[in-house]
Amino acid sequence: MASKAQASQPESSVHSFFSVPAPIKCLFDKFPLTTYPANDLPQHPAAQREDNRLFVFSDAAHAQRGRPSFNPLCLKWQAYLKFVGIDFEITPSNNHASPTGVLPFLLPALPAGASDAIPSSKLQKWAIEQVHCEEEQQLNLRFEVYASLLDHRIRNAWLYMLYLDPDNYEAVAQRLYVHPATTCAMVRAALGIQLQQAARDELLKTSRYIDVADLEGDAKSAFDALSSLLGEDEYFFGRSSPGLFDASVFAYTHLILDEGMGWKRNRLAQLLQEHTNLVQHRERLLQFF
């Protein structure tokens, strides 16, 4: 019996250590914790009723002038909406403001409530309904095959160049993604670590280790394939006007070649510049901005 009492003593001590003291428990019983509803989406009465608003990674000065976003996914949809003739205003934002946790998203003109937000995954469908443009995935079955070059080979090389190259990370990623988020040095450091780790995790999904030469080799082969696909045409898949795939390519080629990004090392630009037609494609589409 004594051994059982002794065995139960540590358990009782642990329980009492983690239990809430009676005065504090009494206080929280009177003032229970409350879960508040989610914040409403950003609203602006004048713009809300007259203009479509696209929320992207940007700064206030560039947004006011309609300049391209510095984020490839945001720029893809920003460009696509321009190409199909949909007017919109750019609003600088971040992932925390998005209803899906990812930018971009769009608040359409006229009454815009939380339920009216259009996430990036539904932007093409929404655009087609607005202007009755062709859904270009149906124009050519090769669309998804070539899109995978952008979504994997070029994107992986981009992630390394932006986040994991030390010089580019300090000169570009920190300036665009970390510093605008906060002025607190400790929070900046923590956010930077999260961004770099997320990039590593993404790259390690398809490889046991990160090999820079392999990433650059994959990007080179992707640029070779895209150049062959474009050939002498002005736009991909022989279209008479730019479409979603053109916007997808432009989202990377523009940012890779944009001197305003402040790259310190830019091997992707060297590989891209070997293909004159891709460089001219980027310059042609830049005129829309």
Side-chain angles (χ1 to χ4, degrees):
M1 294 295 292
S3 61
K4 289 184 179 180
Q6 291 173 355
S8 64
Q9 184 176 357
E11 182 179 355
S12 175
S13 299
V14 171
H15 177 73
S16 61
F17 180 78
F18 286 102
S19 60
V20 179
I24 296 179
K25 184 177 185 302
C26 181
L27 176 65
F28 278 97
D29 286 342
K30 292 182 178 180
F31 302 98
L33 295 177
T34 302
T35 301
Y36 292 97
N39 292 334
D40 293 335
L41 289 168
Q43 301 287 341
H44 186 285
Q48 168 188 333
R49 304 194 63 83
E50 298 175 2
D51 304 294
N52 299 309
R53 299 174 65 199
L54 185 67
F55 291 74
V56 302
F57 283 108
S58 183
D59 60 47
H62 283 183
Q64 189 174 17
R65 298 198 300 269
R67 291 287 303 277
S69 170
F70 54 76
N71 177 273
L73 183 59
C74 291
L75 180 52
K76 168 185 173 180
W77 292 108
Q78 181 184 1
Y80 176 69
L81 293 179
K82 280 185 174 291
F83 297 163
V84 298
I86 293 178
D87 294 328
F88 58 90
E89 289 188 355
I90 289 294
T91 301
S93 189
N94 57 61
N95 286 333
H96 298 291
S98 171
T100 62
V102 177
L103 291 181
F105 70 95
L106 181 135
L107 289 182
L110 297 176
S115 61
D116 293 322
I118 312 295
S120 59
S121 60
K122 298 181 179 179
L123 270 176
Q124 187 185 24
K125 181 177 181 296
W126 177 83
I128 291 171
E129 293 171 350
Q130 305 307 305
V131 297
H132 308 292
C133 56
E134 292 181 295
E135 189 170 358
E136 66 184 323
Q137 285 94 329
Q138 297 175 356
L139 299 179
N140 199 306
L141 295 178
R142 295 178 296 169
F143 182 96
E144 292 186 5
V145 175
Y146 283 96
S148 69
L149 297 177
L150 295 166
D151 296 338
H152 299 289
R153 295 189 177 192
I154 294 178
R155 179 172 180 267
N156 286 349
W158 166 270
L159 289 175
Y160 178 84
M161 184 172 76
L162 178 61
Y163 294 112
L164 301 182
D165 180 285
D167 292 336
N168 284 332
Y169 171 72
E170 292 183 5
V172 184
Q174 281 190 333
R175 173 172 55 85
L176 296 179
Y177 291 99
V178 178
H179 292 172
T182 178
T183 58
C184 176
M186 293 183 63
V187 177
R188 283 180 172 179
L191 178 59
I193 291 172
Q194 291 177 358
L195 290 174
Q196 291 187 305
Q197 188 58 51
R200 287 192 195 91
D201 292 344
E202 187 66 23
L203 295 178
L204 292 174
K205 287 180 180 179
T206 55
S207 177
R208 294 178 61 185
Y209 58 93
I210 298 172
D211 188 310
V212 181
D214 283 349
L215 292 173
E216 293 177 351
D218 287 344
K220 181 182 186 308
S221 65
F223 287 138
D224 292 344
L226 291 173
S227 179
S228 298
L229 177 64
L230 180 61
E232 300 297 325
D233 295 334
E234 290 192 349
Y235 307 115
F236 283 95
F237 301 109
R239 291 175 57 100
S240 59
S241 60
L244 181 60
F245 192 79
D246 295 276
S248 302
V249 174
F250 174 77
Y252 284 103
T253 58
H254 170 65
L255 296 177
I256 289 170
L257 296 176
D258 183 12
E259 295 181 357
M261 290 288 288
W263 301 112
K264 295 300 181 182
R265 271 196 293 267
N266 196 343
R267 175 61 176 155
L268 292 184
Q270 297 173 3
L271 297 173
L272 179 56
Q273 287 167 340
E274 296 176 2
H275 303 286
T276 304
N277 62 344
L278 293 181
V279 175
Q280 292 174 342
H281 177 265
R282 175 253 182 175
E283 294 172 350
R284 193 177 300 120
L285 298 185
L286 187 58
Q287 295 176 8
F288 279 84
F289 291 87

